[in-house]
Amino acid sequence: MRLVARQMLLLLCAAGFAATLSSAQIANVEGRTSISLDGSWNSIVDPYETGIQSRYFLNAKPKTKSDLVEYDFARSPKLRVPGDWNTQRESLLFYEGPVWYQRDFSYQKRPHTRTFVHFGAANYQARVWLNGNRLGEHTGGFTPFYFEITDQIADGENSLVVEVDNTRRADGVPALHTDWWNYGGLTRSVRLVEAPEEFIADYSVQLAKNHTDQIEGWVQIKGTPRENTVTVEIPEARQKQTAQVDSTGRASFRMQFKPELWSPDKPKLYRVVLSVGDDNVTDHIGFRTIETRGTQILLNGKPVFLRGICLHEEAPFRSGRAFSEEDDRTLLSWAKELGANFVRLAHYPHNEEMVRLADQMGLLVWEEVPVYWDLQWQNPSTLENAKSQLREVIARDRNRPAIVLWSMSNETPIDEGRTEFLKQLIAYARQLDSTRLITSALNHTDRSGENRTLNDPIGEYLDVLGLNEYIGWYEGTPEDAERTRWNFAHNKPVIISEFGAGAVFGLHGDTETRFTEEYQANLFQHQIAMLQHMPALAGMSPWVLMDFRSPRRPLPGIQEYYNRKGLISDRGQRKQAFYVLQKFYRENAASGLKDVH
Ligand code: GCB
């Protein structure tokens, strides 16, 4: 047993996980004192992986005229951070491989202060050096990570170097094939975060299970305790509680108070202030319940129909990876305009601001890890990788009321190895967060005439069944949708997590002509008709809000390396199908769902 654990550890270290496994949490970096390192960074594109051997991380300069240094960050081209490199330089559009980032910054050390460098995300693998010292590395393109640099940071000038490598890997998560652009780079903000010696690393504040008049939670303290008392305040509700920190640095609390509940109709958030010693963190948190009863999803105890839409983290108007509040707000406003109360953030964790905006705007969220199509199901390091991405996103977003569903996977094959892998991931998700619903987007169904049955064995372990189906696009005609009779082997709520059709904005023709707006609109009409008699339906999130770049979509004049299944073009133009779905959602919202059944 011991040996197995040791082998596992060695395997993980070899795969570069040691750094992430040992790093502490720092929840809510935006709510803390921080110094932004966003802006213009020097960059060296390194297709032949010369950088490690040539020690780019030293950011060396020749000291004499005879010194040989074959790189020079200061005179190399710049890249903006946050941002993908693909859309910043034409020659990098299809580039996959390592790129080295470097920037100087000055820093004034302060006594009794701990300093961390925090990355919102780097796709896919990152290795980090400060002043030539290796800080560590991180795997996974969509979750935050950081390193403590209190002892390495200099008072004065510093040089930070990051090698980001977006090479696709057979053992990765995702693996070699995706239907989205493999945007590389420091795609989210980089910042220095400061905290006192004893600080609040992480916390959870939410309704106690089965009680709408009690808030419970915990605060995790790191560092040498100066004080053993944590204070939790919700000023608007005149609530103030203190709790003792135990020997593991954790303080648990419970408050007797009946909050106004958060919902899409009234996304009420309370200001919550947590403090210990010299540290305090402010957050805005809403309180709601989410559960299932038979084939229904209950929000705050009442059945809710999820009127949703899928979206990629793709920037409107300019294309590329979305990262700013403006990008996020545009996307979520379009979802609201559609009449949605729900978004599926496909197929990986989107940026933290997106989820915080969903909290504020009243959109329920399905958040997903990139366990997409086929992975190395038998490879223990691939499973560890998926678990680590899941752990990081749950740690980042556990206080967001908008998130109601954690999705474990998208369109994975039915085989034993896959099922075992997902079972372990599901068990891990439940261990990390027992309050939300677990789902997966499934797509393998049995067919017999007009009958279709979803009977994926993983269904037994999920709370909600996601189903992707492309009747009328990848198979059959749109009219076939209406004739289809659905059966579900598990008595659980079903969300149609995808259906859709490609259409070029402004391309017109009859309803049988591919890629016309009419084809797409007609398909939406027939799909909606099908949903009216679908048993167990608790929600839907058609594919997809906006056109997005995909290397799998080369059709000249039509796709041009974009997946055109958006209801809105990449330039923000609404296609006919947008209005078909909007009409359905508006009527549905007015009649109050359940009647879809
Ligand atoms: C799917 C995938 C999604 C693709 C979509 C498509 O089933 O889940 O990632 O982009 O189909 O357009 O084919």
Side-chain angles (χ1 to χ4, degrees):
M1 183 67 197
R2 261 222 184 128
L3 194 68
V4 173
R6 201 181 124 72
Q7 279 166 348
M8 190 76 151
L9 192 72
L10 287 175
L11 214 80
L12 294 182
C13 292
F17 288 98
T20 40
L21 283 182
S22 59
S23 68
Q25 294 300 335
I26 303 189
N28 186 14
V29 280
E30 282 187 28
R32 292 172 179 279
T33 312
S34 69
I35 299 160
S36 172
L37 295 182
D38 288 349
S40 184
W41 287 54
N42 304 317
S43 67
I44 300 176
V45 180
D46 184 18
Y48 283 23
E49 300 180 39
T50 314
I52 289 285
Q53 214 188 353
S54 299
R55 309 212 285 172
Y56 289 179
F57 47 85
L58 294 179
N59 184 27
K61 313 265 183 242
K63 290 194 188 73
T64 67
K65 63 182 177 186
S66 50
D67 266 4
L68 177 63
V69 180
E70 290 189 87
Y71 68 94
D72 184 351
F73 274 113
R75 288 195 294 132
S76 295
K78 314 280 180 227
L79 282 171
R80 258 188 337 275
V81 174
D84 61 85
W85 62 58
N86 314 73
T87 58
Q88 294 191 50
R89 213 179 289 165
E90 221 178 312
S91 61
L92 296 182
L93 182 61
F94 285 95
Y95 180 75
E96 296 184 308
V99 171
W100 291 75
Y101 284 75
Q102 188 275 337
R103 72 161 286 166
D104 298 320
F105 64 91
S106 54
Y107 185 73
Q108 252 194 321
K109 277 194 167 217
R110 293 198 287 148
H112 309 298
T113 300
R114 296 172 71 165
T115 313
F116 302 83
V117 58
H118 181 278
F119 298 84
N123 189 33
Y124 166 79
Q125 216 139 14
R127 296 196 261 197
V128 187
W129 292 263
L130 180 66
N131 302 327
N133 299 315
R134 187 174 180 284
L135 297 178
E137 58 191 270
H138 180 263
T139 301
F142 303 96
T143 41
F145 57 99
Y146 40 85
F147 306 100
E148 178 154 14
I149 52 173
T150 313
D151 297 334
Q152 289 92 339
I153 197 163
D155 200 27
E157 284 310 300
N158 288 271
S159 164
L160 184 61
V161 173
V162 189
E163 183 207 23
V164 186
D165 187 347
N166 71 337
T167 305
R168 285 171 291 125
R169 300 172 54 122
D171 64 351
V173 181
L176 297 175
H177 301 283
T178 64
D179 188 21
W180 70 80
W181 210 266
N182 183 19
Y183 292 121
L186 293 173
T187 49
R188 296 184 190 150
S189 289
V190 181
R191 38 164 77 89
L192 300 176
V193 179
E194 292 181 334
E197 280 164 349
E198 178 196 23
F199 70 99
I200 296 166
D202 199 2
Y203 53 87
S204 161
V205 184
Q206 55 184 281
L207 282 176
K209 206 153 184 114
N210 304 324
H211 294 276
T212 49
D213 59 353
Q214 277 177 38
I215 308 289
E216 69 173 16
W218 48 262
V219 181
Q220 183 67 47
I221 306 301
K222 291 267 159 145
T224 346
R226 287 184 158 201
E227 238 184 75
N228 281 325
T229 312
V230 164
T231 309
V232 184
E233 274 179 273
I234 306 183
E236 182 186 335
R238 293 198 190 82
Q239 292 295 318
K240 188 170 177 170
Q241 274 271 326
T242 55
Q244 290 310 301
V245 181
D246 69 16
S247 57
T248 67
R250 185 168 285 232
S252 301
F253 66 90
R254 195 174 260 252
M255 277 175 177
Q256 202 67 37
F257 132 70
K258 196 171 170 52
E260 189 184 317
L261 298 179
W262 183 99
S263 73
D265 293 334
K266 206 148 186 255
K268 170 72 187 161
L269 298 174
Y270 287 89
R271 191 163 74 88
V272 178
V273 186
L274 307 156
S275 38
V276 65
D278 295 333
D279 197 24
N280 62 72
V281 177
T282 298
D283 205 341
H284 293 87
I285 300 179
F287 305 102
R288 52 105 194 94
T289 65
I290 192 78
E291 62 201 305
T292 65
R293 187 175 58 202
T295 58
Q296 291 181 317
I297 296 177
L298 308 183
L299 174 71
N300 298 328
K302 293 195 213 89
V304 61
F305 184 73
L306 305 183
R307 304 186 306 273
I309 189 73
C310 290
L311 55 135
H312 265 292
E313 193 188 34
E314 183 99 356
F317 305 112
R318 66 178 156 79
S319 88
R321 188 55 80 220
F323 54 76
S324 66
E325 195 197 321
E326 194 188 342
D327 291 340
D328 300 342
R329 195 174 285 283
T330 303
L331 292 169
L332 295 187
S333 303
W334 286 343
K336 292 289 275 192
E337 182 188 332
L338 197 56
N341 61 5
F342 168 58
V343 286
R344 174 181 176 209
L345 302 182
H347 282 300
Y348 40 75
H350 292 206
N351 66 80
E352 187 172 348
E353 187 61 30
M354 184 82 92
V355 185
R356 286 182 175 273
L357 264 180
D359 268 5
Q360 292 162 27
M361 293 170 72
L363 284 161
L364 296 157
V365 171
W366 158 317
E367 191 155 59
E368 185 160 322
V369 285
V371 175
Y372 183 88
W373 291 350
D374 219 359
L375 301 190
Q376 289 185 349
W377 308 114
Q378 314 283 354
N379 184 338
S381 79
T382 302
L383 176 61
E384 279 316 308
N385 181 342
K387 282 167 100 176
S388 121
Q389 296 191 45
L390 183 67
R391 180 179 61 248
E392 288 166 345
V393 69
I394 291 181
R396 192 192 71 178
D397 290 343
R398 68 156 59 89
N399 289 304
R400 306 280 67 83
I403 296 181
V404 287
L405 288 152
W406 296 121
S407 173
M408 301 293 107
S409 64
N410 181 75
E411 298 189 348
T412 53
I414 300 189
D415 77 41
E416 259 177 51
R418 179 294 316 233
T419 303
E420 195 44 44
F421 183 108
L422 288 187
K423 270 167 67 177
Q424 296 204 37
L425 202 58
I426 292 166
Y428 192 53
R430 294 196 191 283
Q431 183 192 324
L432 294 169
D433 179 3
S434 62
T435 69
R436 291 182 173 83
L437 305 176
I438 306 289
T439 191
S440 267
L442 311 172
N443 66 325
H444 293 283
T445 54
D446 303 326
R447 256 174 99 165
S448 149
E450 284 162 1
N451 281 301
R452 287 203 190 211
T453 307
L454 176 67
N455 185 17
D456 187 321
I458 202 64
E460 188 185 331
Y461 302 90
L462 302 172
D463 299 314
V464 174
L465 309 170
L467 173 62
N468 294 357
E469 52 82 15
Y470 278 89
I471 300 173
W473 186 253
Y474 292 126
E475 46 164 321
T477 65
E479 290 69 24
D480 289 339
E482 231 165 310
R483 292 189 280 269
T484 305
R485 294 283 169 275
W486 285 96
N487 308 290
F488 298 97
H490 303 99
N491 185 43
K492 299 187 178 186
V494 173
I495 294 176
I496 294 295
S497 35
E498 286 181 33
F499 68 81
V504 178
F505 171 78
L507 187 67
H508 295 289
D510 59 28
T511 56
E512 283 168 22
T513 306
R514 293 271 179 176
F515 295 109
T516 60
E517 287 196 42
E518 286 73 9
Y519 190 113
Q520 189 190 36
N522 182 52
L523 179 137
F524 268 71
Q525 250 139 10
H526 287 288
Q527 283 278 346
I528 287 169
M530 177 188 84
L531 297 177
Q532 319 271 353
H533 52 71
M534 182 176 259
L537 191 74
M540 55 197 270
S541 53
W543 192 252
V544 57
L545 182 66
M546 190 189 79
D547 292 352
F548 59 97
R549 278 194 204 264
S550 169
R552 301 167 57 89
R553 310 288 173 179
L555 189 64
I558 300 285
Q559 295 173 318
E560 303 285 357
Y561 292 105
Y562 277 86
N563 183 315
R564 296 287 179 203
K565 295 191 189 70
L567 295 177
I568 300 183
S569 79
D570 53 297
R571 302 289 129 180
Q573 298 133 316
R574 287 131 184 91
K575 305 176 194 173
Q576 288 178 11
F578 178 92
Y579 298 105
V580 174
L581 187 61
Q582 185 188 56
K583 181 164 177 285
F584 175 63
Y585 280 172
R586 286 189 175 165
E587 286 167 6
N588 178 270
S591 67
L593 126 88
K594 314 117 238 187
D595 351 319
V596 170
H597 290 237

